[in-house]
Amino acid sequence: MRIIAGSARGRLLKSPKGMLTRPTLDSTRESLFNILGPGALKDAAVLDIFAGTGALGLEAVSRGATKAVFIDSRTGALIRENALLCRAADRCTVLAGDYKRMLAHLQGERFDYIFADPPYVKNFVNETIALIFRHTLLRSDGLLLMEHSSREPIADSPLFTIIRKKTYGSDTQISFIRGCKEGV
């Protein structure tokens, strides 16, 4: 696994041994960031939930994000190590712990982009989305990118709208979610 573009382009990231994580493939990450477009992450604040190796957040920092917060209950030390490899540790904060508590801890902060890649078919997808909106973590013009199994659909809500879905392989979907403006 490597950083695809930007200041840390080509840097190889360390991965945990075993099946602790299910990293987003390089090709999927490249497609995702191409959809966002060049310059989209300049000066952005990003949140990477269920971060694993930190690849999504570190890719965002490499492409110009000024701040990245990572949440993972198991791989905090690995994310810190990968941030050092990318020379981005000064722009990265790692919160190691239960995602529900960590999202509540972040209440009051706002992010331009939130990347979430929960374990597949464990009923975390809709709960994670609900917590993001309950704690008002997404800026009004921000974008939540939820990677999930196509077998775990996102429930309808008046709080947000899915503006795009992209399918990768036989089971992976990324849903691009925007919050609904009040009164609309």
Side-chain angles (χ1 to χ4, degrees):
M1 190 174 341
R2 64 184 171 85
I3 298 295
I4 297 159
S7 62
R9 180 181 182 174
R11 296 268 159 89
L12 294 176
L13 300 177
K14 293 186 176 187
S15 296
K17 293 185 183 358
M19 295 300 293
L20 268 181
T21 63
R22 179 193 30 78
T24 302
L25 297 174
D26 287 358
S27 58
T28 303
R29 245 182 320 113
E30 185 170 18
S31 172
L32 171 74
F33 284 98
N34 285 341
I35 290 168
L36 294 178
L41 291 147
K42 185 175 178 354
D43 300 326
V46 301
L47 173 60
D48 188 349
I49 309 167
F50 305 100
T53 63
L56 286 168
L58 291 169
E59 185 75 42
V61 169
S62 180
R63 292 172 183 247
T66 55
K67 171 186 174 180
V69 176
F70 300 85
I71 296 174
D72 201 288
S73 62
R74 299 181 187 173
T75 60
L78 178 67
I79 296 167
R80 286 183 192 91
E81 196 173 340
N82 282 334
L84 285 169
L85 287 171
C86 293
R87 296 188 178 123
D90 60 327
R91 291 174 279 160
C92 298
T93 302
V94 178
L95 302 175
D98 176 71
Y99 77 99
K100 294 176 197 176
R101 283 195 346 263
M102 297 300 107
L103 290 173
H105 171 76
L106 289 171
Q107 187 161 354
E109 291 199 44
R110 303 288 180 274
F111 297 92
D112 300 292
Y113 294 94
I114 298 177
F115 302 101
D117 184 9
Y120 281 12
V121 195
K122 301 277 187 188
N123 296 318
F124 291 148
V125 171
N126 288 298
E127 182 177 46
T128 301
I129 294 169
L131 289 168
I132 288 166
F133 285 98
R134 180 179 309 144
H135 298 304
T136 324
L137 298 174
L138 188 65
R139 291 189 197 277
S140 61
D141 58 345
L143 191 61
L144 165 60
L145 297 104
M146 175 62 73
E147 183 174 335
H148 58 100
S149 167
S150 57
R151 294 173 285 144
E152 191 168 9
I154 294 175
D156 289 335
S157 169
L159 298 176
F160 62 84
T161 185
I162 298 172
I163 61 170
R164 182 175 185 163
K165 284 184 185 178
K166 180 87 169 132
T167 302
Y168 299 91
S170 62
D171 192 36
T172 299
Q173 272 190 346
I174 297 181
S175 295
F176 296 70
I177 300 169
R178 281 218 194 276
C180 292
K181 308 256 190 273
E182 286 190 41
V184 176

